[in-house]
Each structure stands twice: as structure tokens, then as C-alpha cells.
Amino acid sequence: MSLTLLASTQRLHLPDADELSLSAVHSAAEDRGQNFSLDQIVGLGAPQVRAVLVEDDTLLGFGIYPGDRLIVDRSIKPVQDQYVVAHLNGDNEYCVRLLAADPKGGLLLKAARPSVPSVAFDDLDPAPIWGVVLWVVSYVGRG
């Protein structure tokens, strides 16, 4: 198994894991003379890209946890099998849904919880879609 360390917009190829050490990673990154910018990689700073904080556990069925940050692009046309941020039924709140195929034809906005009913999505009227989720940024450390 090998790893690829990302530095800015370039990839830095590392040796196989059995040959990998922290000093090798640090040295290889320094040799590139690049600073890693998560903002640049995920597109933050672009006017159409937003970061959204997940505040509860309603997205656990999608593998998205409280405290995760979603990077959402408001300029992308949603397509099947993408997560989208939607504004449904005139609620003041936004939600994340999976744009999935409807067995009867068309598309559905599916919730992470099976107990929440799906909503038919008319791709001719994308009004309820606020943006398309491109990235999920999770904190896995302690403290």
C-alpha cells in the first residue's frame, strides 16, 4: 500500500507503508517547498462554495457525524447519487438529502433516516436544492 501526500494542488508520492516514516513524509513535503492549503483544495474562498457545520445526528445513516463540516458548491447542477443541501416544504431549516433514483422513474430526495419520507424531485425545478455537497471534513483526533 502506498500513500499520496497532497501539497497544495500537486501530489507528492510516498514510498510503500513499510518504508514510510514521519521524517520521510516531513522531508518530502519540505522538498516540494509547498504549503498545504485545505481551503484551496476544497475550493473555500470561491463565491459559490460554502462550509456548513453538521449540528446533530440526523445524518448518521450517510456516515456524516455531528461536528463534521460539509463543503457545498452552490453552482453545480445536482445529479443522481449526490448529497445535496435542500430547503424543503417552506421550513426555515436546511437538510441534507441523497438525490436517488425513484423506482417509479424520476428522482427522490432521500433522508439518512428510513423513517423520514422521501420527496419527489423534479429536475426541471431545482428550487429546493441550495447546493451540492462535495466534501465532508471530519475531526478524528482527541481533545
mmCIF file with all atom_site columns, all heavy atoms in Angstrom, residues 24-45:
data_model
loop_
_atom_site.group_PDB
_atom_site.id
_atom_site.type_symbol
_atom_site.label_atom_id
_atom_site.label_alt_id
_atom_site.label_comp_id
_atom_site.label_asym_id
_atom_site.label_entity_id
_atom_site.label_seq_id
_atom_site.pdbx_PDB_ins_code
_atom_site.Cartn_x
_atom_site.Cartn_y
_atom_site.Cartn_z
_atom_site.occupancy
_atom_site.B_iso_or_equiv
_atom_site.pdbx_formal_charge
_atom_site.auth_seq_id
_atom_site.auth_comp_id
_atom_site.auth_asym_id
_atom_site.auth_atom_id
_atom_site.pdbx_PDB_model_num
ATOM 1   N N   . ALA A 1 24 ? 10.315  10.907 6.750  1.00 0.00 ? 24 ALA A N   1
ATOM 2   C CA  . ALA A 1 24 ? 10.308  10.834 5.283  1.00 0.00 ? 24 ALA A CA  1
ATOM 3   C C   . ALA A 1 24 ? 9.186   11.686 4.711  1.00 0.00 ? 24 ALA A C   1
ATOM 4   O O   . ALA A 1 24 ? 9.364   12.382 3.717  1.00 0.00 ? 24 ALA A O   1
ATOM 5   C CB  . ALA A 1 24 ? 10.154  9.387  4.822  1.00 0.00 ? 24 ALA A CB  1
ATOM 6   N N   . VAL A 1 25 ? 8.031   11.655 5.362  1.00 0.00 ? 25 VAL A N   1
ATOM 7   C CA  . VAL A 1 25 ? 6.909   12.473 4.913  1.00 0.00 ? 25 VAL A CA  1
ATOM 8   C C   . VAL A 1 25 ? 7.248   13.949 5.063  1.00 0.00 ? 25 VAL A C   1
ATOM 9   O O   . VAL A 1 25 ? 7.071   14.745 4.158  1.00 0.00 ? 25 VAL A O   1
ATOM 10  C CB  . VAL A 1 25 ? 5.625   12.131 5.704  1.00 0.00 ? 25 VAL A CB  1
ATOM 11  C CG1 . VAL A 1 25 ? 4.514   13.121 5.377  1.00 0.00 ? 25 VAL A CG1 1
ATOM 12  C CG2 . VAL A 1 25 ? 5.187   10.715 5.418  1.00 0.00 ? 25 VAL A CG2 1
ATOM 13  N N   . HIS A 1 26 ? 7.767   14.326 6.236  1.00 0.00 ? 26 HIS A N   1
ATOM 14  C CA  . HIS A 1 26 ? 8.103   15.722 6.505  1.00 0.00 ? 26 HIS A CA  1
ATOM 15  C C   . HIS A 1 26 ? 9.172   16.210 5.529  1.00 0.00 ? 26 HIS A C   1
ATOM 16  O O   . HIS A 1 26 ? 9.057   17.274 4.940  1.00 0.00 ? 26 HIS A O   1
ATOM 17  C CB  . HIS A 1 26 ? 8.588   15.867 7.946  1.00 0.00 ? 26 HIS A CB  1
ATOM 18  C CG  . HIS A 1 26 ? 8.873   17.273 8.342  1.00 0.00 ? 26 HIS A CG  1
ATOM 19  N ND1 . HIS A 1 26 ? 7.872   18.214 8.458  1.00 0.00 ? 26 HIS A ND1 1
ATOM 20  C CD2 . HIS A 1 26 ? 10.034  17.909 8.621  1.00 0.00 ? 26 HIS A CD2 1
ATOM 21  C CE1 . HIS A 1 26 ? 8.412   19.365 8.797  1.00 0.00 ? 26 HIS A CE1 1
ATOM 22  N NE2 . HIS A 1 26 ? 9.720   19.205 8.907  1.00 0.00 ? 26 HIS A NE2 1
ATOM 23  N N   . SER A 1 27 ? 10.195  15.396 5.307  1.00 0.00 ? 27 SER A N   1
ATOM 24  C CA  . SER A 1 27 ? 11.270  15.764 4.396  1.00 0.00 ? 27 SER A CA  1
ATOM 25  C C   . SER A 1 27 ? 10.755  15.908 2.966  1.00 0.00 ? 27 SER A C   1
ATOM 26  O O   . SER A 1 27 ? 11.100  16.853 2.262  1.00 0.00 ? 27 SER A O   1
ATOM 27  C CB  . SER A 1 27 ? 12.372  14.700 4.451  1.00 0.00 ? 27 SER A CB  1
ATOM 28  O OG  . SER A 1 27 ? 13.338  14.953 3.465  1.00 0.00 ? 27 SER A OG  1
ATOM 29  N N   . ALA A 1 28 ? 9.926   14.967 2.536  1.00 0.00 ? 28 ALA A N   1
ATOM 30  C CA  . ALA A 1 28 ? 9.405   15.020 1.169  1.00 0.00 ? 28 ALA A CA  1
ATOM 31  C C   . ALA A 1 28 ? 8.545   16.261 0.974  1.00 0.00 ? 28 ALA A C   1
ATOM 32  O O   . ALA A 1 28 ? 8.602   16.916 -0.067 1.00 0.00 ? 28 ALA A O   1
ATOM 33  C CB  . ALA A 1 28 ? 8.600   13.766 0.874  1.00 0.00 ? 28 ALA A CB  1
ATOM 34  N N   . ALA A 1 29 ? 7.742   16.621 1.974  1.00 0.00 ? 29 ALA A N   1
ATOM 35  C CA  . ALA A 1 29 ? 6.898   17.814 1.867  1.00 0.00 ? 29 ALA A CA  1
ATOM 36  C C   . ALA A 1 29 ? 7.747   19.077 1.826  1.00 0.00 ? 29 ALA A C   1
ATOM 37  O O   . ALA A 1 29 ? 7.469   20.003 1.066  1.00 0.00 ? 29 ALA A O   1
ATOM 38  C CB  . ALA A 1 29 ? 5.926   17.873 3.033  1.00 0.00 ? 29 ALA A CB  1
ATOM 39  N N   . GLU A 1 30 ? 8.813   19.112 2.626  1.00 0.00 ? 30 GLU A N   1
ATOM 40  C CA  . GLU A 1 30 ? 9.697   20.280 2.613  1.00 0.00 ? 30 GLU A CA  1
ATOM 41  C C   . GLU A 1 30 ? 10.402  20.419 1.276  1.00 0.00 ? 30 GLU A C   1
ATOM 42  O O   . GLU A 1 30 ? 10.610  21.528 0.791  1.00 0.00 ? 30 GLU A O   1
ATOM 43  C CB  . GLU A 1 30 ? 10.725  20.172 3.737  1.00 0.00 ? 30 GLU A CB  1
ATOM 44  C CG  . GLU A 1 30 ? 10.157  20.497 5.100  1.00 0.00 ? 30 GLU A CG  1
ATOM 45  C CD  . GLU A 1 30 ? 11.207  20.376 6.179  1.00 0.00 ? 30 GLU A CD  1
ATOM 46  O OE1 . GLU A 1 30 ? 12.268  19.749 5.943  1.00 0.00 ? 30 GLU A OE1 1
ATOM 47  O OE2 . GLU A 1 30 ? 10.964  20.914 7.267  1.00 0.00 ? 30 GLU A OE2 1
ATOM 48  N N   . ASP A 1 31 ? 10.784  19.283 0.678  1.00 0.00 ? 31 ASP A N   1
ATOM 49  C CA  . ASP A 1 31 ? 11.466  19.318 -0.613 1.00 0.00 ? 31 ASP A CA  1
ATOM 50  C C   . ASP A 1 31 ? 10.594  19.969 -1.678 1.00 0.00 ? 31 ASP A C   1
ATOM 51  O O   . ASP A 1 31 ? 11.103  20.592 -2.599 1.00 0.00 ? 31 ASP A O   1
ATOM 52  C CB  . ASP A 1 31 ? 11.849  17.898 -1.065 1.00 0.00 ? 31 ASP A CB  1
ATOM 53  C CG  . ASP A 1 31 ? 12.955  17.300 -0.205 1.00 0.00 ? 31 ASP A CG  1
ATOM 54  O OD1 . ASP A 1 31 ? 13.608  18.072 0.534  1.00 0.00 ? 31 ASP A OD1 1
ATOM 55  O OD2 . ASP A 1 31 ? 13.140  16.078 -0.264 1.00 0.00 ? 31 ASP A OD2 1
ATOM 56  N N   . ARG A 1 32 ? 9.310   19.828 -1.558 1.00 0.00 ? 32 ARG A N   1
ATOM 57  C CA  . ARG A 1 32 ? 8.395   20.424 -2.522 1.00 0.00 ? 32 ARG A CA  1
ATOM 58  C C   . ARG A 1 32 ? 8.308   21.937 -2.349 1.00 0.00 ? 32 ARG A C   1
ATOM 59  O O   . ARG A 1 32 ? 7.906   22.633 -3.264 1.00 0.00 ? 32 ARG A O   1
ATOM 60  C CB  . ARG A 1 32 ? 6.982   19.838 -2.368 1.00 0.00 ? 32 ARG A CB  1
ATOM 61  C CG  . ARG A 1 32 ? 6.860   18.444 -2.863 1.00 0.00 ? 32 ARG A CG  1
ATOM 62  C CD  . ARG A 1 32 ? 6.763   18.464 -4.347 1.00 0.00 ? 32 ARG A CD  1
ATOM 63  N NE  . ARG A 1 32 ? 6.357   17.132 -4.777 1.00 0.00 ? 32 ARG A NE  1
ATOM 64  C CZ  . ARG A 1 32 ? 6.177   16.812 -6.010 1.00 0.00 ? 32 ARG A CZ  1
ATOM 65  N NH1 . ARG A 1 32 ? 6.328   17.684 -6.947 1.00 0.00 ? 32 ARG A NH1 1
ATOM 66  N NH2 . ARG A 1 32 ? 5.832   15.595 -6.333 1.00 0.00 ? 32 ARG A NH2 1
ATOM 67  N N   . GLY A 1 33 ? 8.595   22.413 -1.125 1.00 0.00 ? 33 GLY A N   1
ATOM 68  C CA  . GLY A 1 33 ? 8.512   23.843 -0.880 1.00 0.00 ? 33 GLY A CA  1
ATOM 69  C C   . GLY A 1 33 ? 7.088   24.366 -0.962 1.00 0.00 ? 33 GLY A C   1
ATOM 70  O O   . GLY A 1 33 ? 6.851   25.522 -1.254 1.00 0.00 ? 33 GLY A O   1
ATOM 71  N N   . GLN A 1 34 ? 6.112   23.516 -0.724 1.00 0.00 ? 34 GLN A N   1
ATOM 72  C CA  . GLN A 1 34 ? 4.705   23.870 -0.857 1.00 0.00 ? 34 GLN A CA  1
ATOM 73  C C   . GLN A 1 34 ? 4.057   23.919 0.514  1.00 0.00 ? 34 GLN A C   1
ATOM 74  O O   . GLN A 1 34 ? 4.402   23.160 1.404  1.00 0.00 ? 34 GLN A O   1
ATOM 75  C CB  . GLN A 1 34 ? 3.969   22.822 -1.696 1.00 0.00 ? 34 GLN A CB  1
ATOM 76  C CG  . GLN A 1 34 ? 4.534   22.607 -3.061 1.00 0.00 ? 34 GLN A CG  1
ATOM 77  C CD  . GLN A 1 34 ? 3.946   23.574 -4.063 1.00 0.00 ? 34 GLN A CD  1
ATOM 78  O OE1 . GLN A 1 34 ? 2.835   24.024 -3.900 1.00 0.00 ? 34 GLN A OE1 1
ATOM 79  N NE2 . GLN A 1 34 ? 4.696   23.893 -5.080 1.00 0.00 ? 34 GLN A NE2 1
ATOM 80  N N   . ASN A 1 35 ? 3.096   24.785 0.673  1.00 0.00 ? 35 ASN A N   1
ATOM 81  C CA  . ASN A 1 35 ? 2.264   24.796 1.866  1.00 0.00 ? 35 ASN A CA  1
ATOM 82  C C   . ASN A 1 35 ? 0.951   24.122 1.528  1.00 0.00 ? 35 ASN A C   1
ATOM 83  O O   . ASN A 1 35 ? 0.372   24.365 0.490  1.00 0.00 ? 35 ASN A O   1
ATOM 84  C CB  . ASN A 1 35 ? 1.997   26.235 2.327  1.00 0.00 ? 35 ASN A CB  1
ATOM 85  C CG  . ASN A 1 35 ? 3.243   26.889 2.856  1.00 0.00 ? 35 ASN A CG  1
ATOM 86  O OD1 . ASN A 1 35 ? 4.105   26.227 3.416  1.00 0.00 ? 35 ASN A OD1 1
ATOM 87  N ND2 . ASN A 1 35 ? 3.351   28.184 2.667  1.00 0.00 ? 35 ASN A ND2 1
ATOM 88  N N   . PHE A 1 36 ? 0.489   23.285 2.423  1.00 0.00 ? 36 PHE A N   1
ATOM 89  C CA  . PHE A 1 36 ? -0.779  22.589 2.233  1.00 0.00 ? 36 PHE A CA  1
ATOM 90  C C   . PHE A 1 36 ? -1.903  23.564 2.555  1.00 0.00 ? 36 PHE A C   1
ATOM 91  O O   . PHE A 1 36 ? -1.918  24.192 3.596  1.00 0.00 ? 36 PHE A O   1
ATOM 92  C CB  . PHE A 1 36 ? -0.841  21.375 3.162  1.00 0.00 ? 36 PHE A CB  1
ATOM 93  C CG  . PHE A 1 36 ? -2.141  20.640 3.093  1.00 0.00 ? 36 PHE A CG  1
ATOM 94  C CD1 . PHE A 1 36 ? -2.361  19.731 2.081  1.00 0.00 ? 36 PHE A CD1 1
ATOM 95  C CD2 . PHE A 1 36 ? -3.129  20.855 4.023  1.00 0.00 ? 36 PHE A CD2 1
ATOM 96  C CE1 . PHE A 1 36 ? -3.554  19.043 2.004  1.00 0.00 ? 36 PHE A CE1 1
ATOM 97  C CE2 . PHE A 1 36 ? -4.325  20.169 3.957  1.00 0.00 ? 36 PHE A CE2 1
ATOM 98  C CZ  . PHE A 1 36 ? -4.538  19.260 2.950  1.00 0.00 ? 36 PHE A CZ  1
ATOM 99  N N   . SER A 1 37 ? -2.863  23.696 1.658  1.00 0.00 ? 37 SER A N   1
ATOM 100 C CA  . SER A 1 37 ? -3.991  24.580 1.878  1.00 0.00 ? 37 SER A CA  1
ATOM 101 C C   . SER A 1 37 ? -5.283  23.814 1.653  1.00 0.00 ? 37 SER A C   1
ATOM 102 O O   . SER A 1 37 ? -5.670  23.568 0.513  1.00 0.00 ? 37 SER A O   1
ATOM 103 C CB  . SER A 1 37 ? -3.937  25.783 0.940  1.00 0.00 ? 37 SER A CB  1
ATOM 104 O OG  . SER A 1 37 ? -5.136  26.508 1.014  1.00 0.00 ? 37 SER A OG  1
ATOM 105 N N   . LEU A 1 38 ? -5.946  23.449 2.757  1.00 0.00 ? 38 LEU A N   1
ATOM 106 C CA  . LEU A 1 38 ? -7.230  22.768 2.640  1.00 0.00 ? 38 LEU A CA  1
ATOM 107 C C   . LEU A 1 38 ? -8.240  23.675 1.960  1.00 0.00 ? 38 LEU A C   1
ATOM 108 O O   . LEU A 1 38 ? -9.048  23.224 1.154  1.00 0.00 ? 38 LEU A O   1
ATOM 109 C CB  . LEU A 1 38 ? -7.736  22.333 4.017  1.00 0.00 ? 38 LEU A CB  1
ATOM 110 C CG  . LEU A 1 38 ? -9.024  21.528 4.031  1.00 0.00 ? 38 LEU A CG  1
ATOM 111 C CD1 . LEU A 1 38 ? -8.869  20.236 3.240  1.00 0.00 ? 38 LEU A CD1 1
ATOM 112 C CD2 . LEU A 1 38 ? -9.463  21.241 5.449  1.00 0.00 ? 38 LEU A CD2 1
ATOM 113 N N   . ASP A 1 39 ? -8.192  24.959 2.263  1.00 0.00 ? 39 ASP A N   1
ATOM 114 C CA  . ASP A 1 39 ? -9.096  25.916 1.616  1.00 0.00 ? 39 ASP A CA  1
ATOM 115 C C   . ASP A 1 39 ? -8.982  25.833 0.100  1.00 0.00 ? 39 ASP A C   1
ATOM 116 O O   . ASP A 1 39 ? -9.980  25.811 -0.611 1.00 0.00 ? 39 ASP A O   1
ATOM 117 C CB  . ASP A 1 39 ? -8.790  27.354 2.051  1.00 0.00 ? 39 ASP A CB  1
ATOM 118 C CG  . ASP A 1 39 ? -9.160  27.620 3.496  1.00 0.00 ? 39 ASP A CG  1
ATOM 119 O OD1 . ASP A 1 39 ? -9.706  26.714 4.145  1.00 0.00 ? 39 ASP A OD1 1
ATOM 120 O OD2 . ASP A 1 39 ? -8.891  28.722 3.964  1.00 0.00 ? 39 ASP A OD2 1
ATOM 121 N N   . GLN A 1 40 ? -7.762  25.789 -0.392 1.00 0.00 ? 40 GLN A N   1
ATOM 122 C CA  . GLN A 1 40 ? -7.555  25.756 -1.837 1.00 0.00 ? 40 GLN A CA  1
ATOM 123 C C   . GLN A 1 40 ? -8.030  24.424 -2.436 1.00 0.00 ? 40 GLN A C   1
ATOM 124 O O   . GLN A 1 40 ? -8.657  24.405 -3.492 1.00 0.00 ? 40 GLN A O   1
ATOM 125 C CB  . GLN A 1 40 ? -6.084  25.972 -2.165 1.00 0.00 ? 40 GLN A CB  1
ATOM 126 C CG  . GLN A 1 40 ? -5.819  26.099 -3.642 1.00 0.00 ? 40 GLN A CG  1
ATOM 127 C CD  . GLN A 1 40 ? -4.354  26.398 -3.944 1.00 0.00 ? 40 GLN A CD  1
ATOM 128 O OE1 . GLN A 1 40 ? -3.499  26.319 -3.075 1.00 0.00 ? 40 GLN A OE1 1
ATOM 129 N NE2 . GLN A 1 40 ? -4.079  26.740 -5.184 1.00 0.00 ? 40 GLN A NE2 1
ATOM 130 N N   . ILE A 1 41 ? -7.770  23.333 -1.741 1.00 0.00 ? 41 ILE A N   1
ATOM 131 C CA  . ILE A 1 41 ? -8.146  22.023 -2.269 1.00 0.00 ? 41 ILE A CA  1
ATOM 132 C C   . ILE A 1 41 ? -9.655  21.871 -2.372 1.00 0.00 ? 41 ILE A C   1
ATOM 133 O O   . ILE A 1 41 ? -10.177 21.376 -3.361 1.00 0.00 ? 41 ILE A O   1
ATOM 134 C CB  . ILE A 1 41 ? -7.542  20.896 -1.404 1.00 0.00 ? 41 ILE A CB  1
ATOM 135 C CG1 . ILE A 1 41 ? -6.031  20.852 -1.633 1.00 0.00 ? 41 ILE A CG1 1
ATOM 136 C CG2 . ILE A 1 41 ? -8.165  19.547 -1.728 1.00 0.00 ? 41 ILE A CG2 1
ATOM 137 C CD1 . ILE A 1 41 ? -5.296  19.923 -0.716 1.00 0.00 ? 41 ILE A CD1 1
ATOM 138 N N   . VAL A 1 42 ? -10.387 22.319 -1.349 1.00 0.00 ? 42 VAL A N   1
ATOM 139 C CA  . VAL A 1 42 ? -11.844 22.134 -1.350 1.00 0.00 ? 42 VAL A CA  1
ATOM 140 C C   . VAL A 1 42 ? -12.588 23.309 -1.970 1.00 0.00 ? 42 VAL A C   1
ATOM 141 O O   . VAL A 1 42 ? -13.800 23.249 -2.138 1.00 0.00 ? 42 VAL A O   1
ATOM 142 C CB  . VAL A 1 42 ? -12.402 21.847 0.063  1.00 0.00 ? 42 VAL A CB  1
ATOM 143 C CG1 . VAL A 1 42 ? -11.789 20.581 0.632  1.00 0.00 ? 42 VAL A CG1 1
ATOM 144 C CG2 . VAL A 1 42 ? -12.229 23.031 0.990  1.00 0.00 ? 42 VAL A CG2 1
ATOM 145 N N   . GLY A 1 43 ? -11.873 24.377 -2.311 1.00 0.00 ? 43 GLY A N   1
ATOM 146 C CA  . GLY A 1 43 ? -12.496 25.493 -3.018 1.00 0.00 ? 43 GLY A CA  1
ATOM 147 C C   . GLY A 1 43 ? -13.016 26.613 -2.140 1.00 0.00 ? 43 GLY A C   1
ATOM 148 O O   . GLY A 1 43 ? -13.690 27.517 -2.629 1.00 0.00 ? 43 GLY A O   1
ATOM 149 N N   . LEU A 1 44 ? -12.740 26.565 -0.828 1.00 0.00 ? 44 LEU A N   1
ATOM 150 C CA  . LEU A 1 44 ? -13.198 27.648 0.038  1.00 0.00 ? 44 LEU A CA  1
ATOM 151 C C   . LEU A 1 44 ? -12.589 28.965 -0.424 1.00 0.00 ? 44 LEU A C   1
ATOM 152 O O   . LEU A 1 44 ? -11.439 29.030 -0.811 1.00 0.00 ? 44 LEU A O   1
ATOM 153 C CB  . LEU A 1 44 ? -12.841 27.382 1.498  1.00 0.00 ? 44 LEU A CB  1
ATOM 154 C CG  . LEU A 1 44 ? -13.695 26.351 2.192  1.00 0.00 ? 44 LEU A CG  1
ATOM 155 C CD1 . LEU A 1 44 ? -13.182 26.107 3.608  1.00 0.00 ? 44 LEU A CD1 1
ATOM 156 C CD2 . LEU A 1 44 ? -15.152 26.767 2.237  1.00 0.00 ? 44 LEU A CD2 1
ATOM 157 N N   . GLY A 1 45 ? -13.370 29.985 -0.368 1.00 0.00 ? 45 GLY A N   1
ATOM 158 C CA  . GLY A 1 45 ? -12.940 31.293 -0.864 1.00 0.00 ? 45 GLY A CA  1
ATOM 159 C C   . GLY A 1 45 ? -13.605 31.619 -2.187 1.00 0.00 ? 45 GLY A C   1
ATOM 160 O O   . GLY A 1 45 ? -13.777 32.783 -2.525 1.00 0.00 ? 45 GLY A O   1
#
